[in-house]
């Protein structure tokens, strides 16, 4: 709004000074807005764009981060797709989507629908708080806490022993078959709160008349959920899915603190691999190439998803 | 979410697109002609002559970089130095153990580097021009006369290898002994009557512990620290010089030998026999110290620096012996790294004062501090009378160190060969312990990583 007034004012003044509204005025009007955005753009360019472009540049070099570098063309990218130890983290990241996105969103939907019908202000608030609580705990802290629970004498094995399932007990984060799922479940625990809260607020905006109409038409709770709640939450679902998929693909803190990618690379994710390549192995070029591939992948997944959730809107 | 007008999109898109294209083109143009990074130049233009005459009486401040696990030792060294040279202050810069190698090169290349440090990747540090040539100091301080050439060799770098050439790390000569820590009470319970001196005897002890329902070896392997045992086995079967050649990147050195595979096969056999704690792959070093100190296992294979980390309440309840020999006719080996030899950052602003610190490291006072921290002196090792079960741990460390020295058995960790080998070892050892790879495949994988990274 204010820009409109501004430009009108500017235009009026330019007209007064310069009788002929020529090409220059038109140009000035067009660029005036950019002038205001310039300071912010400069910061964005310097701190965001430059860093991104620098990563792209580094990805074409073999460089240890300190000494001289060698231009190697696309070799780092070829490595990412041909060396199993660089490809595997990408596959693991996709597996984590199940735990970071699918389960939390499904659970969040059910929980939100249940809480809509929950009587009493206190119980509702209590349930919301309890579910949201994990969200305010940093991933790093959660990973440390969970690695205690997953340990040989941790809560999870204690519970298993208590119910006579001794044969199932194991050091979960050190197990080749279960470590990735165990790490993924930490992610489930972390993102469920966000999804539930977003979906609850979305449900609040659905016109209650729709539910009444559905009831009058004889729809039961499940039918109401599928035909009123889920369609009404499309936007919120879009946000949930976008945010959690990004956190799954770009995960670092949880994995780094829980397993550092072990045992034997079974829980390695791109974020941790990038860190190890850059700082442990002193292969900055390869690290940047993997990071660029990851970024491109995330964009390639998120953009169609955004379209999907928006198109149905109209 | 705001729905913007479709017309508003067009100019924005165009201009932004133009900006982005311009930036991209610019970057590629840049990248085409100049790559990132270059060796940092030395700060002092004048040549470093190691003339410490003036420095001993001038105000100066030194920064000593240390890992958290050895911070107490570094502090004691600094205190002893400051007592001798009251005008020079030494401040510690501490970093978590597992970040030490990661952070150090970047710090050394920065504008405000630590003056003194012990880089594990000395070859890389020399190649990148991060550390100072100490040949002048060796002459000025008479190191070549005082210190055995085999000890000094570890600080010499030339042509992408260690062992000969100019000196980049110097001082005194004291280092840890890596061996087998044992719980005295549990040793009694499993009937250990004498120190095992051959791998066969050691294996018998492992078996009797297992049979008695006691975990034979407590190890942490989430951080790959079964590597200490693997390195001991490598040195024992390959012979210390062959392992050193690999670590020091001597031309022609290889890990692809029957002896290295034999060493890995022993580790595999012990893993398969269940001689390690079941959660080894899930725990880190601190957890393993906790398990060992609370009597949950008979042995812990590590270096004498852990005496600084094990709980004080456990003092007197554990001992150490050097790793047993391959057979009765062979020598005993241990990895060590000189904890009294340091490097001076090439960008240090107080090189003369730092050189004074190196000179101090070769004094008996410094050796005494090192000895207290579990790093016996390599200079005057008493003839090894052997380690016995009833000695206290201090005596055992001295005697154990003397035993290895007498056998000429000191080598270094394969982990220090190249940074990539270090990362790869953790992954491979975890796989071996879980039975997901075998000895031959592990050695081949390590050799492949070594070959690919040694000449970079």
């Amino acid at each position: 709004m204010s820009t409109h007034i501004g430009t009108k004012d500017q235009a009026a003044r330019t007209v007064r000074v310069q009788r002929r509204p020529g090409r220059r005025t038109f140009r000035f009007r067009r660029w005036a807005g950019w002038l205001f955005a310039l300071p912010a753009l400069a910061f964005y360019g310097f701190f965001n764009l430059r860093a991104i472009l620098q990563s792209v540049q580094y990805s074409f070099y073999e460089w240890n981060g300190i000494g001289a570098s060698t231009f190697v063309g696309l070799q780092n990218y070829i490595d990412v797709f041909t060396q199993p130890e660089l490809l595997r983290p990408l596959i693991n990241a996709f597996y984590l989507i199940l735990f970071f996105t699918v389960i939390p969103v499904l659970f969040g939907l059910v929980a939100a629908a249940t809480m809509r019908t929950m009587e009493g202000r206190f119980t509702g608030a209590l349930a919301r708080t309890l579910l949201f609580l994990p969200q305010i705990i940093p991933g790093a802290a959660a990973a440390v806490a969970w690695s205690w629970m997953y340990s040989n004498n941790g809560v999870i094995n204690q519970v298993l022993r208590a119910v006579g399932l001794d044969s199932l007990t194991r050091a979960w984060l050190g197990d080749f078959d279960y470590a990735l799922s165990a790490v993924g479940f930490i992610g489930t625990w972390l993102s469920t709160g966000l999804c539930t809260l977003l979906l609850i607020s979305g449900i609040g905006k659905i016109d209650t008349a729709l539910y009444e109409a559905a009831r009058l038409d004889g729809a039961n709770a499940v039918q109401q959920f599928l035909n009123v709640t889920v369609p009404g939450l499309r936007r919120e679902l879009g946000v949930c899915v976008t945010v959690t998929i990004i956190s799954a693909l770009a995960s670092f803190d949880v994995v780094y603190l829980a397993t550092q990618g072990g045992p034997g690379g079974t829980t390695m994710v791109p974020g941790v691999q990038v860190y190890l390549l850059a700082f442990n192995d002193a292969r900055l070029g390869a690290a940047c190439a993997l990071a660029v591939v990851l970024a491109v992948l995330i964009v390639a997944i998120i953009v169609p998803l955004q379209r999907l959730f928006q198109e149905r809107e109209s | 979410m705001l729905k913007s007008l479709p017309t508003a999109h067009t100019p924005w898109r165009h201009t932004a697109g133009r900006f982005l294209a311009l930036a991209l083109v610019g970057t590629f143009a840049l990248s085409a002609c100049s790559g990132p990074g270059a060796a940092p130049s030395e700060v002092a233009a004048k040549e470093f002559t190691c003339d410490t005459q003036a420095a001993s009486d001038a105000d100066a401040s030194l920064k000593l970089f240390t890992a958290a696990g050895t911070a107490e030792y570094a502090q004691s060294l600094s205190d002893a130095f400051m007592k001798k040279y009251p005008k020079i202050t030494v401040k510690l810069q501490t970093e978590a153990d597992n970040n030490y190698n990661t952070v150090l090169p970047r710090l050394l290349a920065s504008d405000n580097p630590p003056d003194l440090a012990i880089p594990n990747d000395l070859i890389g540090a020399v190649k990148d021009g991060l550390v100072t040539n100490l040949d002048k100091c060796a002459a000025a301080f008479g190191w070549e006369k005082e210190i055995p050439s085999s000890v000094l060799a570890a600080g010499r770098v030339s042509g992408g290898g260690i062992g000969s050439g100019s000196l980049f790390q110097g001082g005194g000569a004291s280092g840890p002994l890596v061996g087998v820590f044992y719980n005295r009470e549990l040793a009694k319970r499993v009937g250990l009557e004498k120190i095992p001196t051959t791998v066969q005897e050691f294996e018998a002890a492992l078996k009797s512990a297992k049979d008695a329902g006691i975990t034979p070896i407590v190890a942490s392997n989430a951080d790959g620290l079964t590597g200490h045992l693997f390195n001991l086995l490598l040195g024992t079967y390959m012979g210390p010089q062959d392992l050193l050649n690999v670590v020091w990147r001597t031309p022609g050195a290889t890990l692809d030998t029957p002896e290295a595979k034999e060493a890995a096969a022993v580790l595999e056999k012990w893993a398969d026999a269940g001689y390690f704690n079941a959660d080894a792959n899930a725990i880190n070093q601190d957890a393993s110290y906790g398990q060992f100190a609370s009597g949950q296992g008979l042995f812990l294979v590590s270096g004498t620096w852990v005496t600084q980390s094990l709980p004080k309440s456990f003092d007197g309840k554990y001992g150490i012996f050097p790793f047993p020999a391959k057979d009765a006719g062979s020598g005993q080996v241990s990895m060590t790294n000189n904890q009294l030899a340091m490097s001076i950052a090439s960008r240090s602003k107080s090189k003369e004062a730092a050189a004074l610190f190196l000179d101090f490291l070769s004094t008996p006072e410094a050796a005494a501090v090192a000895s207290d921290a579990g790093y016996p002196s390599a200079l005057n090792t008493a003839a090894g009378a052997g380690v016995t079960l009833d000695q206290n741990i201090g005596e055992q460390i001295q005697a154990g160190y003397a035993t290895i020295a007498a056998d000429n058995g000191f080598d270094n960790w394969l982990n220090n060969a190249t940074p990539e080998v270090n990362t790869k070892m953790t992954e491979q050892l975890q796989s071996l312990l879980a039975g997901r790879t075998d000895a031959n495949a592990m050695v081949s994988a390590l050799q492949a990583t070594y070959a690919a990274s040694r000449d970079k």
Side-chain angles (χ1 to χ4, degrees):
Chain A
M1 273 311 210
S2 54
T3 47
H4 270 266
I5 296 167
T7 33
K8 226 191 261 171
D9 195 35
Q10 291 279 8
R13 255 198 292 160
T14 1
V15 169
R16 232 177 287 138
V17 176
Q18 203 178 341
R19 292 254 152 188
R20 285 178 301 150
R23 210 173 139 74
R24 278 178 71 185
T25 320
F26 172 70
R27 262 204 189 162
F28 182 74
R29 274 168 67 187
R30 221 180 124 199
W31 286 95
W34 284 97
L35 219 62
F36 286 104
L38 198 65
L41 274 178
F43 272 94
Y44 178 78
F46 190 78
F47 290 108
N48 276 356
L49 275 186
R50 194 186 64 117
I52 293 170
L53 292 174
Q54 215 160 43
S55 305
V56 175
Q57 184 201 353
Y58 291 173
S59 68
F60 297 109
Y61 286 85
E62 188 176 298
W63 187 37
N64 70 358
I66 290 155
S69 55
T70 329
F71 185 78
V72 292
L74 290 174
Q75 189 54 47
N76 289 323
Y77 288 94
I78 296 170
D79 287 351
V80 168
F81 290 107
T82 53
Q83 289 183 0
E85 71 248 43
L86 296 184
L87 191 58
R88 182 185 196 172
L90 289 171
I91 297 165
N92 286 349
F94 281 98
Y95 180 70
L96 285 183
I97 292 180
L98 174 68
F99 289 92
F100 279 67
T101 306
V102 180
I103 300 176
V105 168
L106 291 180
F107 181 85
L109 263 179
V110 175
T114 316
M115 274 190 242
R116 190 184 70 84
T117 57
M118 207 174 260
E119 301 288 333
R121 283 187 133 197
F122 178 73
T123 41
L126 182 72
R128 275 198 300 278
T129 311
L130 287 179
L131 271 170
F132 193 66
L133 214 52
Q135 191 62 38
I136 60 169
I137 294 172
V144 171
W146 275 90
S147 55
W148 280 96
M149 296 203 274
Y150 278 135
S151 74
N152 234 7
N153 297 311
V155 178
I156 290 164
N157 284 331
Q158 282 174 22
V159 169
L160 287 175
R161 282 188 199 108
V163 297
L165 291 170
D166 293 52
S167 58
L168 290 182
T169 60
R170 66 194 74 228
W172 294 92
L173 293 176
D175 190 286
F176 271 68
D177 296 320
Y178 293 97
L180 187 59
S181 301
V183 167
F185 193 73
I186 306 176
T188 305
W189 184 79
L190 281 170
S191 32
T192 299
L194 175 76
C195 290
T196 312
L197 206 75
L198 266 174
L199 296 175
I200 288 176
S201 72
I203 281 186
K205 283 190 287 184
I206 297 176
D207 192 350
T208 43
L210 287 174
Y211 286 101
E212 273 166 41
R215 257 202 307 277
L216 285 176
D217 287 344
N220 62 25
V222 176
Q223 284 164 328
Q224 284 178 38
F225 174 74
L226 290 177
N227 296 309
V228 180
T229 309
V230 174
L233 286 177
R234 203 169 289 124
R235 279 181 182 178
E236 285 76 13
L237 283 173
V239 175
C240 279
V241 169
T242 307
V243 171
T244 53
I245 284 188
I246 292 176
S247 73
L249 294 178
S251 57
F252 174 80
D253 49 358
V254 170
V255 177
Y256 186 74
L257 276 129
T259 61
Q260 296 219 0
T266 46
T267 61
M268 190 61 76
V269 288
V272 176
Q273 184 72 58
V274 166
Y275 172 82
L276 290 181
L277 282 172
F279 295 104
N280 275 24
D281 294 0
R283 290 173 63 191
L284 224 73
C288 286
L290 181 60
V292 168
V293 170
L294 178 66
V296 170
L297 263 180
I298 291 179
V299 172
I301 289 166
I302 294 304
V303 168
L305 275 177
Q306 287 282 323
R307 288 266 158 84
L308 185 79
F309 283 107
Q310 273 175 3
E311 264 172 30
R312 293 197 187 163
E313 217 175 285
S314 44
Chain B
M1 259 167 259
L2 264 165
K3 238 186 162 185
S4 35
L5 293 167
T7 43
H9 261 225
T10 344
W12 151 247
R13 256 196 201 159
H14 272 254
T15 328
R18 249 179 259 157
F19 262 125
L20 204 71
L22 202 74
L24 271 171
V25 169
T27 314
F28 284 117
L30 261 178
S31 61
C33 54
S34 71
S41 55
E42 297 210 6
V43 164
K46 64 181 168 70
E47 207 194 341
F48 173 61
T49 55
C50 209
D51 181 5
T52 54
Q53 204 77 51
S56 61
D57 213 28
D59 287 316
S61 169
L62 292 174
K63 207 157 44 165
L64 168 60
F65 188 65
T66 175
T70 52
E72 211 176 298
Y73 160 68
Q75 188 61 58
S76 311
L77 271 184
S78 308
D79 290 344
F81 175 78
M82 287 189 281
K83 217 162 151 194
K84 199 166 174 183
Y85 300 100
K87 291 203 160 177
I88 305 177
T89 355
V90 183
K91 282 196 197 116
L92 295 193
Q93 183 173 2
T94 311
E95 184 60 57
D97 290 7
N98 54 351
N99 287 341
Y100 182 89
N101 291 321
T102 309
V103 171
L104 184 53
R106 265 151 268 275
L107 282 178
L108 289 175
S110 72
D111 285 332
N112 188 17
D115 302 282
L116 295 155
I118 308 180
N120 277 348
D121 181 17
L122 191 60
I123 299 173
V126 171
K127 202 182 273 176
D128 291 336
L130 300 178
V131 287
T132 307
N133 186 321
L134 299 177
D135 284 346
K136 296 262 166 57
C137 293
F141 303 146
W143 283 340
E144 264 135 7
K145 269 173 271 164
E146 285 173 27
I147 296 163
S149 58
S150 63
V151 174
L152 279 179
R156 296 190 186 280
V157 177
S158 66
I162 291 184
S164 61
S166 283
L167 192 71
F168 290 91
Q169 204 160 320
S174 291
L177 170 73
V178 180
V180 184
F181 289 89
Y182 66 96
N183 180 317
R184 288 179 190 271
E185 193 198 317
L186 294 182
K188 225 171 268 166
R189 211 191 298 167
V190 303
L192 194 72
E193 280 161 1
K194 68 181 250 315
I195 299 281
T197 53
T198 65
V199 170
Q200 203 182 356
E201 284 172 23
F202 184 62
E203 202 170 277
L206 295 175
K207 187 169 187 310
S208 52
K210 180 84 183 166
D211 292 345
I214 295 165
T215 302
I217 302 173
V218 174
S220 69
N221 209 32
D223 45 16
L225 289 192
T226 51
H228 290 309
L229 179 54
F230 179 53
N231 272 295
L232 285 171
L233 286 163
L234 277 178
T236 301
Y237 285 84
M238 293 172 75
Q241 193 56 49
D242 280 0
L243 178 56
L244 261 188
N245 288 343
V246 174
V247 178
W248 286 358
R249 301 189 213 165
T250 312
T254 174
L255 201 61
D256 194 15
T257 63
E259 291 79 16
K261 286 174 178 162
E262 199 184 345
V266 174
L267 188 65
E268 186 186 1
K269 181 170 68 174
W270 291 351
D272 289 347
Y275 290 164
F276 295 96
N277 45 321
D279 61 353
N281 268 347
I283 65 170
N284 286 317
Q285 60 174 10
D286 293 325
S288 71
Y289 300 159
Q291 289 191 11
F292 180 62
S294 60
Q296 291 177 48
L298 175 59
F299 296 129
L300 171 80
V301 182
S302 190
T304 43
W305 60 85
V306 305
T307 55
Q308 298 174 53
S309 301
L310 287 170
K312 295 278 169 276
S313 59
F314 194 51
D315 281 353
K317 296 175 181 160
Y318 66 99
I320 185 179
F321 56 84
F323 194 72
K326 185 171 64 172
D327 48 52
S330 307
Q332 287 177 268
V333 300
S334 165
M335 296 78 77
T336 196
N337 51 357
N338 195 340
Q339 291 294 315
L340 279 181
M342 296 185 184
S343 297
I344 301 178
S346 56
R347 292 169 73 86
S348 162
K349 290 165 192 96
S350 323
K351 285 188 187 175
E352 279 72 23
L356 216 53
F357 193 88
L358 297 189
D359 190 28
F360 164 77
L361 291 180
S362 64
T363 61
E365 295 110 284
V369 172
S371 173
D372 285 345
Y375 307 132
S377 171
L379 298 182
N380 41 15
T381 45
V387 182
T388 59
L389 281 173
D390 53 348
Q391 285 169 322
N392 72 38
I393 187 141
E395 294 164 344
Q396 286 174 331
I397 292 174
Q398 295 291 341
Y401 195 87
T403 306
I404 306 290
D407 286 353
N408 243 329
F410 281 115
D411 53 24
N412 205 306
W413 288 261
L414 177 60
N415 306 60
N416 293 336
T418 73
E420 286 93 331
V421 167
N422 186 28
T423 310
K424 191 76 182 170
M425 270 181 81
T426 302
E427 183 216 303
Q428 287 293 309
L429 286 166
Q430 288 168 347
S431 301
L432 189 80
L433 233 65
R436 299 291 170 128
T437 187
D438 60 40
N440 288 345
M442 175 166 93
V443 172
S444 301
L446 292 176
Q447 168 64 26
T449 305
Y450 175 67
S453 56
R454 63 171 283 169
D455 292 321
K456 269 212 305 218

